[in-house]
Amino acid sequence: MGVGSYPLLLLVLIIYLISSLGTGIKDEPVAPIEALNVQKIVLTDEGFTLKVLNSGPDEATISQVLVNDAFWNVEFHPSATIGRLAQTEIFIPYGWVEGDPYEIKLITANGLIFSGEVAVAAKTPVPDGNRVAQYALIGFYVGVIPVGLGLLWFPFLRRFSDRGMQAVLALTVGLLFFLVIDTFEEGLELGAEAPGVFQGTGLVWFGALLSFLFLLALDQANERKGSASGKKIAYKIAGGIGLHNLGEGLAIGAAFASGEAALGTFLIIGFTLHNITEGIGIASPLLKERPTWRTFLALAALGGGPAIVGTWIGGFVFNDTLAALFFGIGAGAILQVIYVIGKMIVREAGKNGRPAVSWTNFASLTLGIALMYATALFVSI
């Protein structure tokens, strides 16, 4: 055993002594410290099934359950006592009415109250073949089709001069800048809803930082082998946008799973309009190349296909903690793409003896942000 292991052994010994002997302070806490999180509420013909997580420091026991302020007999699986970071399921035999709202309160043995809400009662969808196909079609409408339609602008964009191509790249930066802000906001909102023990908002920042650094290291490794082609950069843009569209699918799937079909339909229309501009950004690095139709199909699938996966996750297994992490990873990927395109603009401007931050590029960047903002007005989450 090496000398370097001694500090670790001493650390383990100290933690053991503190946990077994205590600190010597005998004061009892003024109030019990408990934290229960209702992870999911499943509605079936027989009633409600709640999946509850104990994110507090100690075990907690649920003594009573209320549905709309009425006490109700329930069944616990495996137990009413939940250990730290453990889960239990609560089955409530209740004749709910479709479309009605319900509030379910959990009262612990210490008298603390935790609640879960069903905004609009509707039977929770099960992942059968029909539902899986329906969600896949929704994701295809929201992701693949609008991105593909945006890519159809490629022949028109190729008519631009070098200065026009620079402006298109600046426009892409504006589009992506709006997306990265939007992605961070959505991730932080979900992270705040996640159980505190999992540090949901922290996961957004960690995911963004690590994905940005990972892609940056990968990009630098490729640069040592040769300069990155426009096709590679287009695939990077499509990948970053795809992660963002996965988040959009999460929102749509969660809306349908919670019974808010009207909201889900509105989101489909809004995101479809919103995502058409993304295809323009993906096509911009290809303006000096001659891509084949297979390249465009692959880019449309990479940029829009994750919306299908996101709709499945949101509709069947939505989880605030994982969703916050996904949004963070997506934001980091988009930031890295902005960095790469920014380098392209500076490099190309230097070759032509023009400033990278020209009035034309500034106007194009502003237009990109304005376009995304205008189309985002069709979306309300």
Side-chain angles (χ1 to χ4, degrees):
M1 185 178 295
V3 177
S5 61
Y6 293 159
L8 292 177
L9 291 176
L10 289 173
L11 177 63
V12 170
L13 177 61
I14 290 172
I15 293 175
Y16 170 76
L17 291 175
I18 292 174
S19 60
S20 59
L21 300 179
T23 61
I25 300 175
K26 302 299 183 180
D27 294 344
E28 293 293 330
V30 176
I33 302 174
E34 294 177 331
L36 298 180
N37 297 93
V38 179
Q39 298 281 80
K40 190 174 183 179
I41 302 178
V42 178
L43 279 70
T44 63
D45 293 333
E46 290 75 28
F48 303 109
T49 299
L50 280 69
K51 298 182 179 180
V52 181
L53 170 72
N54 177 11
S55 59
D58 301 309
E59 69 175 23
T61 301
I62 300 174
S63 298
Q64 295 173 319
V65 176
L66 291 80
V67 181
N68 285 357
D69 294 327
F71 291 96
W72 216 260
N73 292 324
V74 300
E75 298 176 10
F76 295 94
H77 302 281
S79 171
T81 299
I82 315 171
R84 172 172 165 74
L85 297 182
Q87 287 185 309
T88 194
E89 287 191 359
I90 306 173
F91 172 66
I92 308 173
Y94 192 93
W96 53 272
V97 178
E98 186 171 4
D100 285 356
Y102 295 93
E103 183 181 24
I104 302 172
K105 295 180 180 179
L106 311 177
I107 303 178
T108 68
N110 289 316
L112 298 185
I113 300 175
F114 303 92
S115 63
E117 183 181 359
V118 178
V120 181
K123 190 174 181 180
T124 302
V126 294
D128 54 26
N130 184 46
R131 179 70 67 164
V132 169
Q134 288 175 345
Y135 282 171
L137 187 60
I138 289 172
F140 185 76
Y141 286 151
V142 169
V144 178
I145 287 181
V147 171
L149 290 176
L151 288 170
L152 292 178
W153 284 85
F154 177 75
F156 171 74
L157 297 176
R158 290 198 62 168
R159 301 177 183 177
F160 290 3
S161 62
D162 287 342
R163 172 181 265 180
M165 291 182 182
Q166 286 275 298
V168 173
L169 289 175
L171 175 77
T172 301
V173 172
L175 299 175
L176 295 177
F177 184 76
F178 183 93
L179 285 181
V180 76
I181 297 298
D182 183 61
T183 303
F184 267 122
E185 287 184 345
E186 296 294 338
L188 292 173
E189 183 178 339
L190 288 170
E193 297 294 328
V197 68
F198 295 130
Q199 302 293 320
T201 54
L203 284 178
V204 177
W205 297 111
F206 298 149
L209 175 65
L210 294 178
S211 66
F212 175 82
L213 293 178
F214 172 78
L215 292 172
L216 187 63
L218 193 64
D219 186 47
Q220 291 176 348
N222 290 331
E223 282 183 354
R224 286 194 291 267
K225 300 176 183 178
S227 59
S229 64
K231 183 185 292 187
K232 288 182 179 179
I233 295 174
Y235 276 112
K236 285 182 181 180
I237 296 174
I241 288 175
L243 289 171
H244 174 82
N245 287 339
L246 183 142
E248 294 180 352
L250 287 173
I252 294 171
F256 279 102
S258 62
E260 299 184 58
L263 173 60
T265 303
F266 186 75
L267 291 177
I268 292 172
I269 296 172
F271 284 138
T272 300
L273 294 171
H274 185 57
N275 292 346
I276 289 177
T277 52
E278 296 174 351
I280 300 173
I282 294 172
S284 60
L286 301 171
L287 298 181
K288 292 186 176 181
E289 301 190 7
R290 294 186 177 275
T292 65
W293 61 270
R294 292 185 180 86
T295 300
F296 287 112
L297 286 179
L299 289 171
L302 182 59
I308 299 174
V309 179
T311 306
W312 284 336
I313 295 173
F316 298 129
V317 290
F318 184 79
N319 182 287
D320 287 326
T321 305
L322 289 178
L325 178 61
F326 287 151
F327 273 106
I329 293 172
I334 297 171
L335 275 175
Q336 199 272 338
V337 173
I338 292 175
Y339 172 76
V340 171
I341 297 177
K343 285 174 52 177
M344 282 183 62
I345 293 175
V346 173
R347 183 172 62 247
E348 294 299 322
K351 289 180 181 178
N352 299 315
R354 290 194 298 266
V357 186
S358 64
W359 284 112
T360 303
N361 289 350
F362 174 76
S364 297
L365 186 145
T366 304
L367 177 62
I369 296 175
L371 282 173
M372 295 301 280
Y373 180 83
T375 54
L377 295 176
F378 293 99
V379 184
S380 176
I381 300 181

